[in-house]
Amino acid sequence: MTGRTMRIDVVTLFPELVTLAAGFGVTGRARERGLWQLGVWNPRDFTDDAHRTVDDRPYGGGPGMVMLAEPLERALAAAREAQAAAGRAASRTLYLSPAGAPLTHAKVIDLAHDDAQGLVLVAGRYEGIDQRLIDCEVDEEVSIGDFVVSGGELPALLLIDAVVRQRPGVLNDAESALQDSFVDGRLDCPHYTRPEMWRGRAVPPVLLSGDHAAVRRWRQTQALVRSARCRPDLLHNRPLTTEERRLIENEGR
Ligand code: 9WO
């Protein structure tokens, strides 16, 4: 279901990082305009010892620390209560982890359009979180790429950015048009702005020609050639049309 405000709650030891970073640019403006709501929940606020402990040494030994299940469980419960108070019958809990399924455009669309359920993101720190919390409370693990970072916050912010951009009314017409090429399995064409000559390099003359049809053909060809060279895997997802094949074959003539 689409058409209501999206709500995203993030469980994190660094709530200020998430709130601040989500406050810039497209996601920041969309939030000011009420197109989505953000909640942040710090497991440290759900501890009951004097030191506000959120981690402990791993069973079995070894380096590093592991996030305790109990503060996470309570922070998650608070996040879900906030979702319920905002009218969500259920919420979908995602853990950002390199072990997760890769985040794709299709997955982003799926998350953006499923706003009957709220979204709860769990960001880990240290060496990770107690596996039992993942087993009992996490619906899906999501990866943003095959690399390890210091915490789940930046991956969560990246997912938030990708999802919020897909919500109705967030992008203006120009921004929406720009992202369509990628959706269509193509990279964008190269862009140029002033000056006309920079470091001895001229802007491609067709862009200065004023011939709008020629500009359109050039951009389409460039996008295709770039996709074929840089990301042939994108083209495999949607084969070339006859027109596109002709544009590539005529390139440089
Ligand atoms: C780290 C890890 C490494 C190899 C295989 C599985 C793994 N899981 C985790 C993990 O859950 N790490 C926690 C979250 C704690 C340390 C920081 N975390 C993290 C998440 N690092 N990198 C990510 C991440 C998340 C999504 N996409 C890419 C990386």
Side-chain angles (χ1 to χ4, degrees), residues 79-112:
R80 289 177 184 144
E81 272 166 38
Q83 295 250 342
R88 271 48 175 195
S91 39
R92 209 166 159 180
T93 302
L94 272 47
Y95 179 54
L96 286 305
S97 149
L103 187 65
T104 60
H105 185 73
K107 183 73 189 173
V108 168
I109 295 287
D110 170 51
L111 293 169

Short mmCIF file of all heavy atoms in Angstrom, two decimals, residues 79-112:
data_model
loop_
_atom_site.label_atom_id
_atom_site.label_comp_id
_atom_site.label_asym_id
_atom_site.label_seq_id
_atom_site.Cartn_x
_atom_site.Cartn_y
_atom_site.Cartn_z
N ALA A 79 10.99 0.66 19.60
CA ALA A 79 10.85 1.06 18.20
C ALA A 79 9.52 0.56 17.64
O ALA A 79 8.80 1.29 16.96
CB ALA A 79 12.01 0.51 17.38
N ARG A 80 9.18 -0.67 17.95
CA ARG A 80 7.93 -1.25 17.44
C ARG A 80 6.71 -0.62 18.07
O ARG A 80 5.67 -0.47 17.43
CB ARG A 80 7.93 -2.76 17.65
CG ARG A 80 8.92 -3.45 16.71
CD ARG A 80 8.96 -4.94 16.98
NE ARG A 80 9.96 -5.59 16.16
CZ ARG A 80 10.71 -6.60 16.57
NH1 ARG A 80 10.57 -7.08 17.79
NH2 ARG A 80 11.59 -7.15 15.75
N GLU A 81 6.83 -0.24 19.34
CA GLU A 81 5.72 0.48 19.99
C GLU A 81 5.48 1.81 19.31
O GLU A 81 4.33 2.22 19.10
CB GLU A 81 6.01 0.70 21.48
CG GLU A 81 5.56 -0.45 22.36
CD GLU A 81 6.17 -0.36 23.77
OE1 GLU A 81 6.28 0.77 24.29
OE2 GLU A 81 6.53 -1.42 24.32
N ALA A 82 6.57 2.49 18.95
CA ALA A 82 6.45 3.77 18.24
C ALA A 82 5.80 3.56 16.88
O ALA A 82 4.99 4.39 16.43
CB ALA A 82 7.82 4.43 18.08
N GLN A 83 6.13 2.46 16.23
CA GLN A 83 5.52 2.13 14.94
C GLN A 83 4.02 1.89 15.11
O GLN A 83 3.21 2.36 14.31
CB GLN A 83 6.18 0.88 14.35
CG GLN A 83 7.64 1.09 14.00
CD GLN A 83 7.89 1.10 12.51
OE1 GLN A 83 7.06 0.65 11.75
NE2 GLN A 83 9.02 1.63 12.11
N ALA A 84 3.66 1.14 16.15
CA ALA A 84 2.25 0.86 16.42
C ALA A 84 1.49 2.15 16.71
O ALA A 84 0.38 2.36 16.21
CB ALA A 84 2.12 -0.12 17.57
N ALA A 85 2.11 3.04 17.52
CA ALA A 85 1.49 4.33 17.85
C ALA A 85 1.28 5.17 16.60
O ALA A 85 0.37 6.00 16.54
CB ALA A 85 2.35 5.09 18.87
N ALA A 86 2.13 4.95 15.57
CA ALA A 86 2.00 5.68 14.31
C ALA A 86 1.09 4.93 13.34
O ALA A 86 1.03 5.26 12.15
CB ALA A 86 3.38 5.92 13.70
N GLY A 87 0.40 3.89 13.83
CA GLY A 87 -0.63 3.23 13.03
C GLY A 87 -0.19 2.02 12.25
O GLY A 87 -0.93 1.50 11.44
N ARG A 88 1.05 1.54 12.47
CA ARG A 88 1.51 0.36 11.74
C ARG A 88 1.09 -0.90 12.49
O ARG A 88 1.42 -1.07 13.66
CB ARG A 88 3.04 0.35 11.59
CG ARG A 88 3.54 1.06 10.35
CD ARG A 88 2.91 2.38 10.20
NE ARG A 88 3.41 3.19 9.11
CZ ARG A 88 3.15 4.48 9.05
NH1 ARG A 88 2.43 5.08 9.97
NH2 ARG A 88 3.60 5.17 8.03
N ALA A 89 0.36 -1.77 11.81
CA ALA A 89 -0.10 -3.01 12.41
C ALA A 89 1.09 -3.94 12.66
O ALA A 89 1.11 -4.71 13.61
CB ALA A 89 -1.11 -3.69 11.50
N ALA A 90 2.09 -3.84 11.79
CA ALA A 90 3.27 -4.70 11.91
C ALA A 90 4.48 -3.93 11.43
O ALA A 90 4.35 -2.88 10.81
CB ALA A 90 3.08 -5.96 11.07
N SER A 91 5.65 -4.45 11.72
CA SER A 91 6.84 -3.83 11.17
C SER A 91 7.82 -4.90 10.71
O SER A 91 7.82 -6.03 11.21
CB SER A 91 7.48 -2.86 12.15
OG SER A 91 7.41 -3.35 13.46
N ARG A 92 8.61 -4.52 9.74
CA ARG A 92 9.58 -5.40 9.11
C ARG A 92 10.93 -5.04 9.68
O ARG A 92 11.36 -3.89 9.56
CB ARG A 92 9.52 -5.05 7.63
CG ARG A 92 9.84 -6.11 6.68
CD ARG A 92 9.36 -5.65 5.30
NE ARG A 92 10.07 -6.40 4.29
CZ ARG A 92 9.89 -6.25 2.99
NH1 ARG A 92 9.04 -5.34 2.54
NH2 ARG A 92 10.57 -6.97 2.15
N THR A 93 11.62 -6.00 10.33
CA THR A 93 12.89 -5.71 10.98
C THR A 93 14.06 -6.21 10.14
O THR A 93 14.15 -7.40 9.83
CB THR A 93 12.92 -6.34 12.39
OG1 THR A 93 11.83 -5.83 13.15
CG2 THR A 93 14.23 -6.01 13.10
N LEU A 94 14.95 -5.29 9.76
CA LEU A 94 16.09 -5.61 8.90
C LEU A 94 17.39 -5.40 9.68
O LEU A 94 17.54 -4.42 10.40
CB LEU A 94 16.10 -4.68 7.68
CG LEU A 94 15.33 -5.09 6.42
CD1 LEU A 94 13.93 -5.57 6.73
CD2 LEU A 94 15.31 -3.95 5.42
N TYR A 95 18.33 -6.34 9.51
CA TYR A 95 19.66 -6.20 10.09
C TYR A 95 20.66 -5.98 8.95
O TYR A 95 20.68 -6.76 8.00
CB TYR A 95 20.03 -7.44 10.90
CG TYR A 95 21.41 -7.39 11.52
CD1 TYR A 95 21.79 -6.32 12.33
CD2 TYR A 95 22.32 -8.43 11.33
CE1 TYR A 95 23.06 -6.28 12.90
CE2 TYR A 95 23.58 -8.40 11.92
CZ TYR A 95 23.94 -7.32 12.69
OH TYR A 95 25.19 -7.28 13.27
N LEU A 96 21.43 -4.89 9.06
CA LEU A 96 22.42 -4.58 8.02
C LEU A 96 23.67 -5.39 8.28
O LEU A 96 24.31 -5.21 9.33
CB LEU A 96 22.74 -3.08 8.03
CG LEU A 96 21.70 -2.11 7.47
CD1 LEU A 96 21.33 -2.50 6.03
CD2 LEU A 96 20.47 -2.00 8.34
N SER A 97 24.02 -6.28 7.37
CA SER A 97 25.14 -7.20 7.60
C SER A 97 25.71 -7.67 6.27
O SER A 97 24.97 -7.87 5.30
CB SER A 97 24.63 -8.39 8.40
OG SER A 97 25.33 -9.57 8.08
N PRO A 98 27.04 -7.85 6.21
CA PRO A 98 27.63 -8.37 4.96
C PRO A 98 27.14 -9.79 4.65
O PRO A 98 27.30 -10.26 3.53
CB PRO A 98 29.13 -8.38 5.24
CG PRO A 98 29.34 -7.73 6.55
CD PRO A 98 28.04 -7.64 7.26
N ALA A 99 26.51 -10.45 5.64
CA ALA A 99 26.00 -11.80 5.40
C ALA A 99 24.61 -11.77 4.77
O ALA A 99 24.06 -12.82 4.41
CB ALA A 99 25.94 -12.56 6.72
N GLY A 100 24.03 -10.56 4.61
CA GLY A 100 22.66 -10.46 4.11
C GLY A 100 22.53 -10.62 2.61
O GLY A 100 23.52 -10.73 1.89
N ALA A 101 21.28 -10.63 2.15
CA ALA A 101 21.01 -10.64 0.72
C ALA A 101 21.35 -9.27 0.15
O ALA A 101 21.06 -8.25 0.78
CB ALA A 101 19.54 -10.97 0.48
N PRO A 102 21.97 -9.21 -1.04
CA PRO A 102 22.39 -7.92 -1.60
C PRO A 102 21.19 -7.00 -1.83
O PRO A 102 20.14 -7.45 -2.29
CB PRO A 102 23.03 -8.29 -2.93
CG PRO A 102 23.26 -9.75 -2.91
CD PRO A 102 22.32 -10.34 -1.91
N LEU A 103 21.36 -5.72 -1.48
CA LEU A 103 20.32 -4.73 -1.74
C LEU A 103 20.34 -4.40 -3.23
O LEU A 103 21.38 -4.04 -3.78
CB LEU A 103 20.58 -3.46 -0.92
CG LEU A 103 19.49 -2.40 -0.97
CD1 LEU A 103 18.19 -2.90 -0.36
CD2 LEU A 103 19.94 -1.13 -0.26
N THR A 104 19.19 -4.55 -3.89
CA THR A 104 19.07 -4.27 -5.32
C THR A 104 17.97 -3.23 -5.50
O THR A 104 17.22 -2.94 -4.56
CB THR A 104 18.64 -5.52 -6.09
OG1 THR A 104 17.37 -5.95 -5.57
CG2 THR A 104 19.67 -6.64 -5.95
N HIS A 105 17.88 -2.69 -6.73
CA HIS A 105 16.81 -1.73 -7.02
C HIS A 105 15.44 -2.37 -6.76
O HIS A 105 14.56 -1.73 -6.19
CB HIS A 105 16.92 -1.24 -8.45
CG HIS A 105 15.92 -0.17 -8.77
ND1 HIS A 105 16.04 1.12 -8.27
CD2 HIS A 105 14.77 -0.20 -9.46
CE1 HIS A 105 15.01 1.83 -8.67
NE2 HIS A 105 14.22 1.05 -9.39
N ALA A 106 15.28 -3.64 -7.14
CA ALA A 106 13.99 -4.33 -6.94
C ALA A 106 13.65 -4.41 -5.45
O ALA A 106 12.50 -4.20 -5.05
CB ALA A 106 14.05 -5.72 -7.56
N LYS A 107 14.66 -4.68 -4.62
CA LYS A 107 14.45 -4.78 -3.18
C LYS A 107 14.07 -3.40 -2.62
O LYS A 107 13.18 -3.29 -1.75
CB LYS A 107 15.74 -5.28 -2.51
CG LYS A 107 15.63 -5.50 -1.02
CD LYS A 107 14.81 -6.73 -0.73
CE LYS A 107 14.49 -6.85 0.74
NZ LYS A 107 13.56 -7.95 0.99
N VAL A 108 14.73 -2.35 -3.10
CA VAL A 108 14.45 -0.99 -2.66
C VAL A 108 12.99 -0.63 -2.96
O VAL A 108 12.27 -0.10 -2.10
CB VAL A 108 15.41 0.02 -3.34
CG1 VAL A 108 14.96 1.46 -3.14
CG2 VAL A 108 16.83 -0.17 -2.80
N ILE A 109 12.55 -0.95 -4.19
CA ILE A 109 11.16 -0.68 -4.60
C ILE A 109 10.19 -1.43 -3.69
O ILE A 109 9.20 -0.88 -3.22
CB ILE A 109 10.93 -1.13 -6.08
CG1 ILE A 109 11.79 -0.29 -7.02
CG2 ILE A 109 9.47 -1.07 -6.46
CD1 ILE A 109 11.32 1.11 -7.20
N ASP A 110 10.50 -2.69 -3.40
CA ASP A 110 9.68 -3.52 -2.54
C ASP A 110 9.55 -2.88 -1.15
O ASP A 110 8.44 -2.75 -0.62
CB ASP A 110 10.30 -4.92 -2.46
CG ASP A 110 9.64 -5.78 -1.40
OD1 ASP A 110 8.41 -5.87 -1.40
OD2 ASP A 110 10.37 -6.37 -0.57
N LEU A 111 10.65 -2.43 -0.58
CA LEU A 111 10.63 -1.81 0.75
C LEU A 111 9.87 -0.48 0.72
O LEU A 111 9.11 -0.16 1.63
CB LEU A 111 12.06 -1.58 1.26
CG LEU A 111 12.86 -2.84 1.57
CD1 LEU A 111 14.33 -2.50 1.82
CD2 LEU A 111 12.27 -3.58 2.79
N ALA A 112 10.05 0.29 -0.35
CA ALA A 112 9.43 1.62 -0.44
C ALA A 112 7.91 1.53 -0.57
O ALA A 112 7.20 2.42 -0.12
CB ALA A 112 10.01 2.40 -1.62
#
